[in-house]
C-alpha cells in the first residue's frame, strides 16, 4: 500500500506518542453498519449490511454495540420471490422448493435477514442521522427520531442509538451504497425526491469531532461506493488513528457482484458488491479473522477485487493489527500463527457490473410493467439532468475531466483531480460550493437519482474547483 509523505509524518507522530488503545490495554468495541440506498434494484447494499451484521454477531458482538442503518424495503418487498429472505451471494440462491409449503428451500445460514438489526430504517436512514450517530449526539438524535416516529405519512423509524464509546475503544464503520466524487449517497426523503448525501467534508468534520471528544482510540472504515477513494484522498486528517479502505479509487466505479441470476422465472437484482463480498468472505474463512492483519486482508481483497482499484488511506501503522481487534468481541487470545494463511480463489456466479449500471440492467431485464415504468422514469430524469448540467458546464467554460484509464494502479489512489480543490479554508469553500451547487441544481435544473449523482459528481466537483459558488448560482438562474 502506497503511503503519502503526509501520512508518513502522521505515522511517525503516532509512533512517538503511542496509541491510546495500545498504551492502556484493550477497551470496548463498537460498530456502525450503514446501507445508504432504497429500492429492490439496490438489493445488494442491504444484503451487504445484513451479512456484515451476521459476521459481527457470530464473532460475539452484543446488539448494544452495533448500530445498523438500512431502509428495510427488501425482505418483504412484493418483488422478492423469497419473502422474508435476503441472500448476499449466488451460492445461497436455492434450487428446490419445500415439498410441503412450496416455498424456496433456503440453505441454513444463507438468509442474512435473520437477526439483522434496523436501529434506523426508512426515512430515518439519512445524512443527518448518520452524522449524529458518529458524533455520539444523542440529544440531536432524540429530536430527529421523535420527528420521524411521529410522522404517519412516511415509512421509517428509529431510536436515538448513537456511539457511546471512549478514548480506549475501537470503532469499526462499514458503509455500503452509491457514491461519487467527494460524496456518499443516502435515499431521497420521498420517491423521486432530491438525492441526499454526505460530503467528504461532512465525514472529515465528524471524525475530527469524534477525536476531539474521545469517542475512539482507533477507527477503521470500510467504504463500498463508486469513487470512494475521493472521500479520503488528501482529506483524511493525519494523527487521528484512523485507517480507511475503499472499494474504488477516487475516479472510478466500484462493482456489483452476482448479477443477472435467475430464481425460477424471476431475474434477481445483484446480490452483493464485489469489494464487500470479498472482504466478508475473507474474514470468515477459518483462521483468517483470528490471525490475519488488516494489511493482509487488504492485499487479499485488492487482488480479488479485480475490476476496481481498492485503496487505503490514513494511519497505516494500524494495518499491522489483527482483524479480530475490530471484528471480534471480545478479542480472544490467538496463540502463535503456525503457518501462512491460505489464499483462496474467489468463486463467482453471475456477472459483475459497474455499480452505477446495476439498477438499470436489472430493470431492463424485467418484464414486470412496474419495473419497466421505473426504468423509463429514471431515464427521463437522467436526460433532463444531463442536458442541464452539460449546458451549465458550457456556460461556465469548465474543462472536461482528464482521461484516467489505468484502473489497476495503486498510485491512482493518491492522484489529485485536475482541476483540484485547495487545502485549508479554500478547501472548505470548495465543499460548501459543492453542497450549495448540487442542492440548487436539484431545486431548479433536475432531480438526480443515486446513479446520476455518481455520474455527475465529477462535473460538480470541477465546477466548484474552477468557479465560485456565486458564479455557479448566477449561471443556474
Amino acid at each position: 500500500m502506497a503511503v503519502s509523505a503526509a501520512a508518513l509524518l502522521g505515522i511517525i507522530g503516532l509512533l512517538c506518542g503511542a496509541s491510546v488503545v495500545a498504551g492502556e490495554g484493550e477497551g470496548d468495541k463498537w460498530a456502525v453498519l450503514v446501507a445508504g440506498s432504497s429500492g429492490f434494484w439496490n438489493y445488494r447494499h442491504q444484503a451487504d449490511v445484513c451479512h456484515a451484521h451476521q459476521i459481527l454477531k457470530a464473532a460475539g458482538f452484543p446488539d448494544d454495540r452495533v448500530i445498523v442503518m438500512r431502509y428495510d424495503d427488501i425482505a418483504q418487498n412484493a418483488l422478492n420471490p423469497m419473502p422474508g429472505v435476503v441472500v448476499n451471494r449466488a451460492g445461497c440462491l436455492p434450487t428446490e422448493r419445500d415439498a410441503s409449503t412450496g416455498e424456496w428451500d433456503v440453505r441454513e445460514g444463507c438468509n442474512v435477514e435473520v437477526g439483522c438489526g434496523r436501529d434506523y430504517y426508512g426515512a430515518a436512514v439519512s445524512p443527518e442521522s448518520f452524522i449524529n450517530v458518529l458524533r455520539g449526539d444523542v440529544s440531536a438524535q432524540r429530536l430527529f427520531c421523535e420527528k420521524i416516529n411521529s410522522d404517519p405519512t412516511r415509512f421509517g423509524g428509529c431510536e436515538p442509538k448513537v456511539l457511546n464509546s471512549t478514548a480506549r475503544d475501537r470503532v469499526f464503520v462499514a458503509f455500503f451504497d452509491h457514491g461519487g466524487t467527494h460524496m456518499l449517497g443516502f435515499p431521497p426523503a420521498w420517491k423521486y425526491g432530491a438525492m441526499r448525501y454526505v460530503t467528504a467534508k461532512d465525514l472529515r468534520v465528524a471524525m475530527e469531532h469524534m477525536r476531539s471528544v474521545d469517542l475512539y482510540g482507533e477507527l477503521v472504515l470500510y467504504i463500498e461506493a463508486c469513487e470512494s477513494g475521493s472521500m479520503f484522498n488528501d482529506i483524511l486528517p493525519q494523527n487521528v488513528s484512523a485507517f480507511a479502505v475503499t472499494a474504488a479509487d477516487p475516479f472510478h466505479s466500484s462493482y456489483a457482484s452476482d448479477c443477472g441470476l435467475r430464481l425460477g422465472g424471476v431475474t434477481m437484482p445483484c446480490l452483493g458488491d464485489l469489494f464487500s463480498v470479498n472482504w466478508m468472505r475473507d474474514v470468515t474463512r477459518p483462521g483468517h479473522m483470528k490471525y490475519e492483519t488488516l494489511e493482509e486482508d487488504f492485499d487479499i481483497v485488492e487482488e480479488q477485487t479485480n475490476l476496481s482499484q481498492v485503496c487505503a488511506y490514513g494511519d497505516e501503522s494500524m494495518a499491522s493489527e489483527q482483524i479480530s481487534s475490530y471484528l471480534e468481541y471480545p478479542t480472544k487470545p490467538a496463540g502463535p500463527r503456525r503457518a501462512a494463511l491460505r489464499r483462496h480463489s474467489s468463486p463467482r456466479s453471475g456477472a459483475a457490473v459497474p455499480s452505477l449500471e446495476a439498477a438499470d440492467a436489472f430493470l431492463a431485464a424485467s418484464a414486470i410493467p412496474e419495473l419497466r415504468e421505473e426504468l423509463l422514469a429514471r431515464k427521463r430524469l437522467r436526460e433532463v439532468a444531463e442536458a442541464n448540467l452539460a449546458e451549465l458546464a458550457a456556460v461556465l467554460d469548465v474543462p472536461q475531466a482528464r482521461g484516467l484509464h489505468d484502473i489497476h494502479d495503486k498510485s491512482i489512489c493518491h492522484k489529485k483531480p485536475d482541476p483540484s480543490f485547495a487545502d485549508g479554508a479554500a478547501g472548505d469553500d470548495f465543499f460548501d460550493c459543492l453542497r450549495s451547487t448540487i442542492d440548487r441544481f436539484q431545486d431548479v435544473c433536475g432531480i438526480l437519482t443515486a446513479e446520476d449523482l455518481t455520474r455527475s459528481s465529477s462535473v460538480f466537483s470541477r465546477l466548484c474547483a474552477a468557479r465560485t459558488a456565486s458564479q455557479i448560482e448566477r449561471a443556474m438562474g
Side-chain angles (χ1 to χ4, degrees), residues 117-149:
R118 62 165 206 172
D119 301 301
Y120 297 84
Y121 69 97
V125 181
S126 74
E128 178 184 357
S129 60
F130 174 56
I131 295 298
N132 286 343
V133 165
L134 294 183
R135 291 172 57 90
D137 194 340
V138 69
S139 297
Q141 203 71 321
R142 185 176 291 114
L143 293 174
F144 173 85
C145 289
E146 286 175 358
K147 181 179 178 181
I148 294 292
N149 295 339

Side-chain angles (χ1 to χ4, degrees), residues 307-324:
L307 297 175
S308 65
Q309 177 59 56
V310 177
C311 295
Y313 301 93
D315 177 10
E316 293 198 357
S317 69
M318 292 168 56
S320 62
E321 296 186 22
Q322 310 300 123
I323 293 171
S324 57

Side-chain angles (χ1 to χ4, degrees), residues 273-355:
D273 288 286
L274 190 57
F275 162 75
S276 293
V277 169
N278 282 339
W279 77 252
M280 287 189 277
R281 182 184 287 120
D282 180 56
V283 301
T284 52
R285 286 178 175 134
H288 280 232
M289 184 182 292
K290 179 60 64 181
Y291 293 104
E292 194 173 274
T293 65
L294 291 169
E295 183 172 12
E296 289 171 323
D297 175 64
F298 176 93
D299 290 341
I300 291 170
V301 173
E302 184 202 25
E303 179 182 332
Q304 295 182 348
T305 308
N306 61 330
L307 297 175
S308 65
Q309 177 59 56
V310 177
C311 295
Y313 301 93
D315 177 10
E316 293 198 357
S317 69
M318 292 168 56
S320 62
E321 296 186 22
Q322 310 300 123
I323 293 171
S324 57
S325 298
Y326 298 90
L327 302 186
E328 185 178 60
Y329 192 105
T331 305
K332 303 175 181 66
R337 186 194 293 193
R338 299 183 183 277
L341 294 171
R342 294 179 59 194
R343 292 202 178 197
H344 301 257
S345 61
S346 183
R348 228 181 274 160
S349 297
V353 176
S355 291

Side-chain angles (χ1 to χ4, degrees), residues 369-388:
E370 175 188 351
L371 297 184
R372 303 295 293 182
E373 291 172 7
E374 175 70 26
L375 179 62
L376 291 174
R378 291 162 65 90
K379 285 185 174 180
R380 285 193 291 269
L381 287 172
R382 181 175 306 145
E383 288 169 358
V384 171
E386 285 183 347
N388 286 335

Side-chain angles (χ1 to χ4, degrees), residues 5-215:
L8 283 172
L9 290 174
I11 292 171
I12 292 169
L14 283 168
L15 290 174
C16 294
S19 162
V20 173
V21 175
E24 300 183 13
E26 182 169 328
D28 208 345
K29 298 178 188 179
W30 293 75
V32 179
L33 309 177
V34 183
S37 67
S38 61
F40 193 67
W41 38 90
N42 286 317
Y43 180 107
R44 65 192 186 277
H45 299 135
Q46 294 184 59
D48 290 339
V49 88
C50 287
H51 187 180
H53 194 193
Q54 297 286 5
I55 290 171
L56 294 180
K57 288 166 76 76
F61 265 80
D63 288 340
D64 64 355
R65 290 296 181 271
V66 184
I67 301 170
V68 181
M69 306 180 72
R70 61 182 179 118
Y71 207 86
D72 195 23
D73 60 346
I74 301 302
Q76 300 299 337
N77 196 294
L79 297 170
N80 189 357
M82 303 178 289
V85 175
V86 176
V87 299
N88 194 216
R89 55 190 176 89
C92 278
L93 280 179
T95 57
E96 298 179 350
R97 294 182 183 270
D98 184 277
S100 59
T101 65
E103 301 290 337
W104 286 107
D105 190 6
V106 180
R107 185 157 47 91
E108 185 177 355
C110 277
N111 183 7
V112 295
E113 175 70 18
V114 175
C116 184
R118 62 165 206 172
D119 301 301
Y120 297 84
Y121 69 97
V125 181
S126 74
E128 178 184 357
S129 60
F130 174 56
I131 295 298
N132 286 343
V133 165
L134 294 183
R135 291 172 57 90
D137 194 340
V138 69
S139 297
Q141 203 71 321
R142 185 176 291 114
L143 293 174
F144 173 85
C145 289
E146 286 175 358
K147 181 179 178 181
I148 294 292
N149 295 339
S150 63
D151 186 350
T153 66
R154 290 198 288 179
F155 169 71
C158 57
E159 54 182 282
K161 189 176 179 183
V162 300
L163 286 175
N164 191 26
S165 42
T166 73
R168 296 179 61 241
D169 297 348
R170 288 183 169 96
V171 177
F172 175 73
V173 177
F175 185 94
F176 313 89
D177 188 23
H178 297 284
T181 306
H182 305 311
M183 63 187 66
L184 300 174
F186 278 83
W190 60 88
K191 190 172 184 179
Y192 303 131
M195 270 303 299
R196 299 181 295 176
Y197 53 92
V198 163
T199 68
K201 177 188 174 182
D202 298 331
L203 184 58
R204 184 202 75 205
V205 170
M207 291 171 63
E208 289 171 346
H209 174 82
M210 292 170 72
R211 188 64 169 168
S212 70
V213 298
D214 294 333
L215 277 176

